Amino acid sequence: MAEAHQAVAFQFTVTPEGIDLRLSHEALKQVYLSGLRSWKKKFARIKNSFITGVYPASPSSWFFVVIAIMGTLFARVDPSMGMIEKIKEHLPVSSYLSHQGQSILSALLFSTGLWFALIMTMRFILKQLLSYHGWMYEQHGKVSAKTKLWFALVKIFSGRDPMLYSYQAVLPHLPVPGIKDTVQRYLDSVRPLMSDEEFKRMTALAKDFEGSLAPRLQWYLKIKSWWASNYVSDWWEDYIYLRGRGPIMVNSNYYAMDFLYVTPTPIQAARAANTVHAILLYRRKLTREELKPLMIQDCLPMCSAQYEHMFNTCRIPGVDTDTIQHYADSKHIVVYHKGRFFRVWVYHGGRLLNPKELELQFQHILNDPSPPQPGEEKLAALTAGERTAWAKARKTYFRSGKNLQALDLVERAVFFVTLQDDEEGLRTEDPVNSLDAYAKSLLHGKCYDRWFDKSFTFIVFKNGKIGLNAEHSWADAPVVGHMWEFVLATDCFQLGYNEEGNCKGQADSNLPVPQRLQWEISEECQEVIESSLTIAKALADDVDFHTFPFKEFGKGLIKKCRTSPDAFIQIALQLAHYRDKGKFCLTYEASMTRLFREGRTETVRSCTVESSDFAKAMMNPSQSNEERLKLFRLAAEKHQMLYRQAMTGGGIDRHLFCLYVVSKYLGVDSPFLKEVLSEPWRLSTSQTPIQQVELFDLVNHPEYVSCGGGFGPVADDGYGVSYIIVGENLINFHISGKFSSHETDSHRFGKHIKESLLDILALFKLD
C-alpha cells in the first residue's frame, strides 16, 4: 500500500557487497515538514503566552519605558530616586563592565521592574473595575454618569488588540453570596410550588440551617474562593458531570442543527469536506489565539477558559469517576461510516488539507465496500451505555494490542466524524415529523454511530445536511455554538462550491488514503457491547422530541412591548406549563457566569410568585386584560432581576450545591440541603444565543437561519426546552420529554407554547 511505504524514511537490505540503503526522500520531507510545523506551533504558543502575560500592556511598551528612563538619565534627572544607583552597587558583573555599562544595565533592570509594576497596577485596577456590575441594574436606555465614567475607565485600562486569553488574569473571582440572601431567595423561589403547610415546614428547615450548620460550611467556601480561581467550577464539573454513572447520551450530551431552510450542496463528501475544513480553520485560529474574546457592551470580557478543551479532547471512563483527557496536538480525525472506523490525516506537507483534498478522502471512504470487522459496527455503543460498564470493558478488552492502538487513535483525534447513510432535515411535505426525526438523530442516532465521549461528534447526512453532538463536561453550549456559527458561515459565504456542488480548488495526487482502524473484538466484549446497546436503545426510544419554528412573531415585536425577549418567552413557558399540567414546577433556566474567571453557568429559577400569579390570571376569565398586563410586567421585571443576579454571582443554586459538597467532605448531614438538592427540575430551559450576528446577513439572506440545538429531558416526568431567537421574526423551539411519562407530551406542550406566546402578545394591543 502507498501509505505503508510513505510511513518509513528509509529501507535497507543486506547484500554480498554490503548494506544497501534506500532513502525515501518524500518520507524525509514529510518528517521535516511535520517537525517544522511542531516547532512553529511551540514558538507561537511561547509568543502568545508572553503577549497574554503582559496584557493589558504590550511588549512594545517596554521600549517606551526604557527610552523614557534613559532619556531622563541623560538629562541628569534620576526618576528612580536612587534605586538605579542601589542596583548598580549590587550588580554581580560590575567588575566586567565599565561605569557607563553598569549605569545602562542598572537602568534597564529598573525600567523592566517599573514596567512589570505598571502592568500589575493596571491589572489590579482593571480587575476592580470588572468587579463592578451596577451598570446591569440600570434602567434600559438610561445610563448614569457613574456608569459612563466606569465604561470610560474600563476602555482606558483594557489595552488594545486583546487575544483570546488576554483577560483571563484580570477577570474577578466569582463571589460567594451571603447565607442569609441565599436562604431567603431560595424560599422565595419555592413559595409558588408549596402549600402553606409545606412552606412552613421548609422555612423552619431553612432557618435552622441558616443559624446552625451554614456558617461553618460558608467559612470553608470563603477560603476556597480566595484560593481557587472559581469556587464552583471544578466541583460542578466533577460531581455533576464526571461522577455520573448513567449514560451521557440523551442525559448529558446535546446537539446543534444545520441551517433550517438551506442545504448548500446535496453531495455528502463535498459538504463534509468544506465543513471539516472550516472546523480546522477555527481550530487554527483558536490555537493561535486569533479569536477575540467575547465582549458584553463591546468592553466587558467573558471568560475564555472553556475553549481550551474544544479539540483533541476525550472523556475517559472510570469505574467511579471519569476524567477529561486533552492532548496538546493532533493531526488526524476519525471517521465512522457503515460500521467501519477510518483515520484521515488532515495535514500533509506541513499544511492543512484543502476542501477538495478532504472531499476525495471522504469519497474514498464512501466508496469503500469493505465490511466491518467482528464487533466493530456497534463498538461505539460502549460510550452510550452505563459508564462503569464501559470503564471495566476498556480496562479488560482495550489495554493492549490492536484494540489499544485503535482506541488511542479515536481518543487522540481532533474530533470524531460520522458519515450517515440516511437522510435528515426539513422536508416541506412533512415538516413536523422530519424536524423531530432530525433532532432525535442528532441527539442519539442509532446509539452506536457517534463516539459520545469525544468533545464533539460531527455528523454529515447522505443528503448534505449536517449536525453536531457535543459532550457536556468540558464546556457549555454557547462555546460550541460560537464554533458552529463560524463553521456554517465559512462553509457558505467563504469556501462555497462549484456549479456541480463539489468543493473548489485542486487536490494533491500524492495524499495518503484513509486507513481502516484495526480491531480484535472478542465474543465476550461483543456481549458487553450488546448489553450497552440494549440500555442505550431503551433510553433513546423513550425520547419524545418536537422541534418547530415559531414564525408568527419574534424579537422585533417583543421589543415593541418594552420587554426582554428572554423574559417574554420564559413567562410564556410558565403559562404553557400551567396549561399543560395544571400546576407549576421547579424551573431551570441556564444563565452564564462567564463575567468571572472560569465561570460556567448559574440557574435562574423562572417559576416565581409573580409569573405564577400571571399564569393564573390568564386562565381566569374574570380577570381583565389590564390586570393581566400589569401582572405580566411584574413577572418580567422579577425575571430580569433574577437573571442579573445569576450573571453577577448572586444566584442560589451553585452556592447551595457547594455548601452541600462541603457538608459531605465534613461528614455532616443537613436535612435542608439534602431536600434542596433532591428536588427535580421538571422544566429545564436554555436559550441558545447568536454570538456572531455579523457573520449572517439575515436581511439579504433570510433563508440562512440556524435552527439552534437541543437536549434531552432532565426529569423522567418533565420537559427540556431549548430555544433560539433568530433575527426579528423567528424563534425556533426544541422540546424533549419521555414517552414513558403519562404527564408529558412534547407536541402538546409545543401547542401550548404557541398559544401562550400569542395570548401574551395580544395583551399589548400592538398595531
Side-chain angles (χ1 to χ4, degrees), residues 238 463 475:
D238 189 14
N463 58 343

Side-chain angles (χ1 to χ4, degrees), residues 255-258 484 688 705-710 722-724 726 732 734:
Y255 68 85
M257 278 187 173
D258 195 1
W484 194 239
T688 303
V705 296
S706 170
C707 200
S722 174
Y723 53 94
I724 180 171
V726 186
N732 291 321
H734 303 252

Side-chain angles (χ1 to χ4, degrees), residues 130-143:
L130 295 178
S131 299
Y132 169 74
H133 300 114
W135 60 274
M136 198 177 292
Y137 294 88
E138 294 187 350
Q139 188 176 347
H140 183 70
K142 295 182 179 180
V143 183

Side-chain angles (χ1 to χ4, degrees), residues 549-765:
F550 181 79
K551 305 176 184 177
E552 283 74 3
F553 64 89
K555 182 174 61 176
L557 274 181
I558 295 176
K559 284 184 174 180
K560 289 183 179 180
C561 301
R562 297 184 179 181
T563 302
S564 157
D566 184 70
F568 191 101
I569 295 170
Q570 284 291 327
I571 296 170
L573 290 176
Q574 290 302 313
L575 175 57
H577 190 275
Y578 191 58
R579 283 172 165 167
D580 187 77
K581 291 188 177 182
K583 59 183 178 181
F584 300 103
C585 71
L586 195 61
T587 305
Y588 182 114
E589 182 188 6
S591 166
M592 65 92 182
T593 55
R594 289 171 60 195
L595 290 173
F596 303 96
R597 189 169 183 179
E598 296 181 16
R600 291 197 60 164
T601 60
E602 178 56 275
T603 305
V604 178
R605 295 187 167 219
S606 301
C607 182
T608 62
V609 171
E610 291 79 2
S611 65
S612 59
D613 287 345
F614 168 74
K616 291 174 183 176
M618 290 294 289
M619 300 299 290
N620 184 356
S622 64
Q623 289 276 8
S624 67
N625 282 348
E626 289 75 15
E627 292 172 327
R628 291 169 176 172
L629 185 58
K630 181 180 178 181
L631 291 172
F632 173 83
R633 293 201 181 280
L634 290 174
E637 289 173 8
K638 180 61 176 289
H639 182 270
Q640 287 179 268
M641 177 61 69
L642 291 176
Y643 206 98
R644 290 166 181 148
Q645 288 174 348
M647 284 185 65
T648 55
I652 64 175
D653 284 281
R654 300 302 178 268
H655 186 205
L656 291 171
F657 162 75
C658 288
L659 290 170
Y660 180 75
V661 172
V662 174
S663 74
K664 288 301 177 183
Y665 279 130
L666 296 178
V668 294
D669 287 327
S670 167
F672 170 71
L673 290 177
K674 187 175 182 180
E675 189 160 339
V676 169
L677 271 294
S678 63
E679 293 169 342
W681 300 96
R682 290 192 172 90
L683 181 55
S684 181
T685 71
S686 178
Q687 180 188 168
T688 303
I690 296 180
Q691 303 164 81
Q692 302 167 91
V693 182
E694 68 278 3
L695 296 180
F696 304 96
D697 183 4
L698 295 180
V699 175
N700 297 315
H701 301 285
E703 69 276 15
Y704 285 92
V705 296
S706 170
C707 200
F711 52 88
V714 174
D716 290 337
D717 55 351
Y719 291 113
V721 180
S722 174
Y723 53 94
I724 180 171
I725 302 171
V726 186
E728 299 294 307
N729 304 301
L730 179 66
I731 307 170
N732 291 321
F733 285 91
H734 303 252
I735 306 170
S736 62
K738 290 195 174 182
F739 289 115
S740 58
S741 172
H742 67 277
E743 293 188 26
T744 60
D745 183 322
S746 63
H747 286 76
R748 183 185 71 206
F749 191 45
K751 179 183 176 183
H752 288 315
I753 291 174
K754 294 176 187 177
E755 293 172 350
S756 299
L757 287 168
L758 291 169
D759 287 349
I760 293 174
L761 184 69
L763 297 177
F764 290 88
K765 299 179 181 179

Side-chain angles (χ1 to χ4, degrees), residues 421-589:
D421 53 358
D422 53 1
E423 299 182 357
E424 295 292 353
L426 176 66
R427 297 194 302 273
T428 53
E429 67 275 13
D430 189 10
V432 175
N433 291 325
S434 61
L435 275 182
D436 295 350
Y438 184 19
K440 278 180 67 68
S441 179
L442 291 175
L443 184 65
H444 54 68
K446 299 174 183 176
C447 303
Y448 59 79
D449 52 357
R450 288 99 173 86
W451 200 272
F452 292 101
D453 285 354
K454 285 297 289 181
S455 54
F456 64 90
T457 295
F458 178 61
I459 303 150
V460 187
F461 295 96
K462 192 175 181 179
N463 58 343
K465 274 294 178 187
I466 60 173
L468 173 148
N469 182 288
E471 200 276 316
H472 207 327
S473 65
W474 64 275
D476 300 307
V479 174
V480 175
H482 188 271
M483 181 267 289
W484 194 239
E485 291 170 7
F486 176 90
V487 170
L488 292 177
T490 302
D491 170 36
C492 294
F493 306 130
Q494 293 186 29
L495 299 177
Y497 302 87
N498 61 23
E499 294 179 357
E500 292 78 28
N502 294 305
C503 296
K504 298 176 181 178
Q506 301 296 321
D508 185 342
S509 58
N510 295 320
L511 293 176
V513 298
Q515 298 169 289
R516 283 283 303 271
L517 301 191
Q518 300 301 312
W519 307 91
E520 290 181 344
I521 310 299
S522 65
E523 292 185 1
E524 293 85 356
C525 183
Q526 291 182 43
E527 291 178 2
V528 177
I529 293 171
E530 287 296 332
S531 177
S532 291
L533 181 59
T534 300
I535 293 172
K537 280 282 290 178
L539 178 61
D541 291 343
D542 194 28
V543 174
D544 173 24
F545 227 100
H546 182 39
T547 299
F548 66 92
F550 181 79
K551 305 176 184 177
E552 283 74 3
F553 64 89
K555 182 174 61 176
L557 274 181
I558 295 176
K559 284 184 174 180
K560 289 183 179 180
C561 301
R562 297 184 179 181
T563 302
S564 157
D566 184 70
F568 191 101
I569 295 170
Q570 284 291 327
I571 296 170
L573 290 176
Q574 290 302 313
L575 175 57
H577 190 275
Y578 191 58
R579 283 172 165 167
D580 187 77
K581 291 188 177 182
K583 59 183 178 181
F584 300 103
C585 71
L586 195 61
T587 305
Y588 182 114
E589 182 188 6

